[in-house]
Amino acid sequence: MKTLFYGIDPFRLLGFVLFVLPFLALLGLGMVWLWQHGYLLFWALAMLICTGLGYGVQQLLVRRDRRLLAEAVTEPNPEWPLSADEAWDRVQALAQNCKAEDWPLEKGDWILALGRRTLETVAHCYHPQVDKPLYELTVPHTLLVIERASRDLRRDVTENVPFSNRLTIGDLFRVQRWKDRAEQVFDVYRAGRMIVNPIDALLGEAWRHLRERSYIQARDELHRWFLRTYIRKVGYYAIDLYSGRLVLTDDEPVTARTERTTADMHQMDQAADTAAEARIEEEPLRILVLGRSNAGKSSLINALFDKLATVADVLPDSTEMLKPFALIHAGLTQALIFDSPGCDSENFDSKKLHDAAKDADLILWVSPANRPDRQIERDCLDALRTFFSKQTTRRPPPLLIVASQVDRLRPAGEWNPPYDLTHPQNTKAVNIRAAIEAIAIDLAVPTDHVIPVCLMENHVYNVEDTLWAAILNHQEEAQQARLLRCLDEKKKTENWKLLRRQMINAGRFLKHLPDMLDRRRGD
């Protein structure tokens, strides 16, 4: 059968013309009536006003949709190690510079090509010296990245794109095909309309232009959002992978109690050990108390417990490096606190200190406010900072400086708390404030990270309120450090479990291999 108008069936065209002809006639007769009664200009003015208002409503809808889509943007994970910051910045730059016209959705290869480019962007951050950094990953981890990114993208599309759960990909292609044919027929209608009624045709063309402009703008906005969301989702899990946060098994919580914590709990007093071990099921926060000898570390632990938990100043002369205690306080998650020898004592071991600090989620550094010679403390802290900077898969634990012995500041015979340190009113308060600022400078920490305390027996000051408030305020940051620490532990355990399972399955395969070969020969 011959076709007309670029492949359109002439019978279909005739049916369409017969269908719309009464409406066209009604429109034409209506325009004639308006012209005869002098209402045509009023109608044209009303049409222009409605067109402008309609265009404004469309723009408001576009802005609203843009705002709703912006709320669905993937955000960086605050639990990532610091090394992930640069990688996420590059993923963001790739998403912002992504152009919709470069990645048409009707071409199926965009999803692999764009995903590969995103993975390569992240891989270059973690393996800059490798020619093909994309290949520095395992097949199971690669599949896990694709699985999780697709899952999140599916959820975002389902919640934000209308009818996405009803329309199939085939429907989209069929709609595009019918849209092309309908446009061909509509071009014929527009040409005939221009001949029959030029004024109405011009007004209609203006309205159609505004309508199509709003539609195209909304479509392009949705297209760009989809591509950027895909890039951010793939980049998010790629950073999880390359930064060491992606585990393959979900058989137990990431924050399950570690072997080291279990061993530390066995060191605790037997009377408290049984009760503590029954309470602590997940990995507790590990709080490490450091400082020089006779600074008041053990006294600080006593004050935190608000009861006698250890004999003050006995541990520095002991050969034991760390001594754990189960710490319980309202608002604080399960925690262990560790006393340690002074950084200037004979029992101090810098390697053991670094190992302990690596497993710490919060560090309390006790520094005497009345001793200005802090160089040994600064050297020890700088060594710790250098050590943490090399732990690319971890976040350094938050550090709080406890300025002890503020009661010994001049005038030494005066001690009448509380003191207003924000607006000091007397010499004691002025000297405490000056000591806080000096410690902050000497130890290279923010001033608000220095908490002045008095640890005298029966005269404890500023522990229950200010120090505990600072600890609880940094608890979320400490939990992030704990999560990364537990992830490292889980990955080590996971590697051994998977290796054991793989060796067992490989052994079973080799055991049955001769029988399989014999059956094939028989067949």
Side-chain angles (χ1 to χ4, degrees):
M1 180 184 294
K2 294 183 179 179
T3 57
L4 191 62
F5 297 109
Y6 304 100
I8 299 177
D9 190 337
F11 291 106
R12 292 183 183 275
L13 177 61
L14 178 61
F16 177 77
V17 171
L18 292 175
F19 177 77
V20 301
L21 186 59
F23 298 97
L24 294 178
L26 180 62
L27 180 61
L29 293 174
M31 296 295 296
V32 172
W33 184 88
L34 289 173
W35 176 69
Q36 289 178 344
H37 290 76
Y39 295 141
L40 183 60
L41 292 178
F42 295 102
W43 174 85
L45 180 61
M47 183 176 179
L48 289 175
I49 294 174
C50 291
T51 299
L53 293 176
Y55 181 74
V57 171
Q58 290 291 332
Q59 291 300 310
L60 290 176
L61 291 175
V62 169
R63 293 179 182 178
R64 184 203 64 180
D65 294 340
R66 185 180 301 165
R67 185 175 63 255
L68 292 175
L69 294 177
E71 294 176 357
V73 170
T74 303
E75 297 292 342
N77 193 334
E79 296 169 349
W80 279 339
L82 296 178
S83 58
D85 293 344
E86 180 185 356
W88 182 251
D89 289 341
R90 294 192 183 185
V91 170
Q92 286 283 65
L94 179 62
Q96 291 297 328
N97 295 329
C98 180
K99 298 180 180 179
E101 57 269 20
D102 295 337
W103 304 96
L105 298 183
E106 58 270 17
K107 294 184 179 180
D109 59 347
W110 72 269
I111 190 167
L112 292 178
L114 190 56
R116 179 188 178 92
R117 179 175 296 185
T118 306
L119 287 172
E120 287 178 343
T121 299
V122 176
H124 273 293
C125 294
Y126 288 93
H127 301 283
Q129 307 301 328
V130 180
D131 293 337
K132 296 181 178 180
L134 182 60
Y135 301 145
E136 299 298 316
L137 46 82
T138 66
V139 174
H141 284 97
T142 305
L143 295 174
L144 187 58
V145 169
I146 296 174
E147 172 194 335
R148 294 190 176 181
S150 301
R151 178 196 62 195
D152 289 356
L153 187 60
R154 169 184 55 80
R155 182 176 62 247
D156 288 345
V157 170
T158 302
E159 293 178 356
N160 294 284
V161 179
F163 304 108
S164 59
N165 60 319
R166 303 295 298 274
L167 295 175
T168 66
I169 297 177
D171 292 334
L172 296 177
F173 282 109
R174 283 189 290 271
V175 167
Q176 181 65 33
R177 187 164 58 249
W178 279 103
K179 175 178 176 294
D180 295 338
R181 293 183 179 179
E183 286 180 350
Q184 295 171 3
V185 175
F186 188 64
D187 289 341
V188 176
Y189 160 73
R190 290 166 59 195
R193 186 182 182 186
M194 185 66 69
I195 297 174
V196 175
N197 195 335
I199 298 178
D200 178 61
L202 290 174
L203 294 174
E205 287 296 312
W207 167 242
R208 188 180 69 86
H209 174 73
L210 292 176
R211 187 175 64 250
E212 286 187 354
R213 181 178 177 183
S214 299
Y215 165 76
I216 292 173
Q217 186 176 4
R219 182 197 63 189
D220 292 344
E221 190 73 26
L222 184 61
H223 189 177
R224 284 192 296 270
W225 170 84
F226 185 79
L227 294 175
R228 292 171 180 175
T229 300
Y230 176 72
I231 291 173
R232 292 187 179 104
K233 291 296 182 185
V234 174
Y236 182 98
Y237 288 111
I239 292 175
D240 266 356
L241 170 61
Y242 283 100
S243 64
R245 293 191 68 256
L246 209 59
V247 294
L248 295 173
T249 58
D250 297 321
D251 51 349
E252 62 181 14
V254 173
T255 55
R257 195 170 68 188
T258 62
E259 294 182 3
R260 180 159 187 173
T261 294
T262 302
D264 288 332
M265 291 174 62
H266 286 305
Q267 298 180 25
M268 298 163 60
D269 180 72
Q270 289 296 324
D273 188 22
T274 304
E277 191 161 356
R279 284 194 307 269
I280 301 178
E281 297 179 356
E282 68 171 4
E283 177 69 7
L285 291 180
R286 297 172 66 94
I287 302 175
L288 181 60
V289 180
L290 299 174
R292 66 197 309 169
S293 301
N294 300 317
K297 298 186 299 299
S298 300
S299 297
L300 172 64
I301 294 178
N302 289 338
L304 290 173
F305 278 97
D306 197 25
K307 64 180 180 179
L308 184 62
T310 182
V311 180
D313 298 326
V314 170
L315 186 62
D317 296 330
S318 170
T319 57
E320 189 177 12
M321 178 63 188
L322 297 174
K323 186 174 180 63
F325 300 91
L327 183 61
I328 301 174
H329 191 274
L332 180 70
T333 189
Q334 297 171 335
L336 294 180
I337 188 167
F338 294 83
D339 202 349
S340 64
C343 63
D344 54 350
S345 70
E346 296 179 355
N347 297 321
F348 181 77
D349 187 326
S350 59
K351 184 179 183 303
K352 290 184 178 180
L353 171 65
H354 290 170
D355 290 340
K358 185 178 180 181
D359 286 331
D361 307 313
L362 174 66
I363 294 178
L364 300 179
W365 186 278
V366 185
S367 179
N370 61 328
R371 294 191 59 175
D373 52 328
R374 302 186 183 94
Q375 187 59 48
I376 188 171
E377 299 179 58
R378 175 62 181 270
D379 293 341
C380 188
L381 280 174
D382 286 346
L384 270 180
R385 293 183 179 110
T386 302
F387 172 77
F388 284 129
S389 67
K390 297 178 181 178
Q391 310 301 314
T392 58
T393 61
R394 302 281 288 275
R395 276 186 176 271
L399 171 67
L400 295 176
I401 306 297
V402 180
S404 62
Q405 302 177 8
V406 294
D407 53 295
R408 301 183 184 181
L409 294 173
R410 292 182 299 176
E414 176 193 330
W415 184 244
N416 187 27
Y419 294 100
D420 183 1
L421 302 181
T422 305
H423 304 287
Q425 300 296 323
N426 53 46
T427 305
K428 193 76 169 184
V430 170
N431 288 335
I432 292 176
R433 180 66 188 179
I436 292 174
E437 295 174 352
I439 291 174
I441 294 174
D442 292 344
L443 302 185
V445 295
T447 305
D448 59 353
H449 283 208
V450 182
I451 298 95
V453 300
C454 173
L455 303 174
M456 285 193 305
E457 188 176 358
N458 300 323
H459 292 84
V460 174
Y461 165 69
N462 220 29
V463 173
E464 182 60 31
D465 44 12
T466 307
L467 178 57
W468 265 116
I471 292 174
L472 295 177
N473 188 46
H474 288 82
Q475 182 175 206
E476 183 177 354
E477 189 179 353
Q479 289 174 337
Q480 294 172 2
R482 179 189 65 172
L483 178 61
L484 292 176
R485 174 173 60 83
C486 290
L487 276 170
D488 281 351
E489 185 73 18
K490 183 176 176 64
K491 289 192 68 176
K492 292 177 183 177
T493 305
E494 177 187 75
N495 290 337
W496 284 110
K497 287 183 178 179
L498 289 177
L499 179 60
R500 179 176 176 273
R501 193 181 308 166
Q502 292 163 358
M503 296 303 293
I504 291 175
N505 291 334
R508 290 174 180 171
F509 176 78
L510 293 176
K511 179 181 178 181
H512 294 92
L513 183 60
D515 296 337
M516 296 170 58
L517 294 177
D518 289 341
R519 285 196 296 268
R520 288 187 178 181
R521 293 192 191 100
D523 294 340

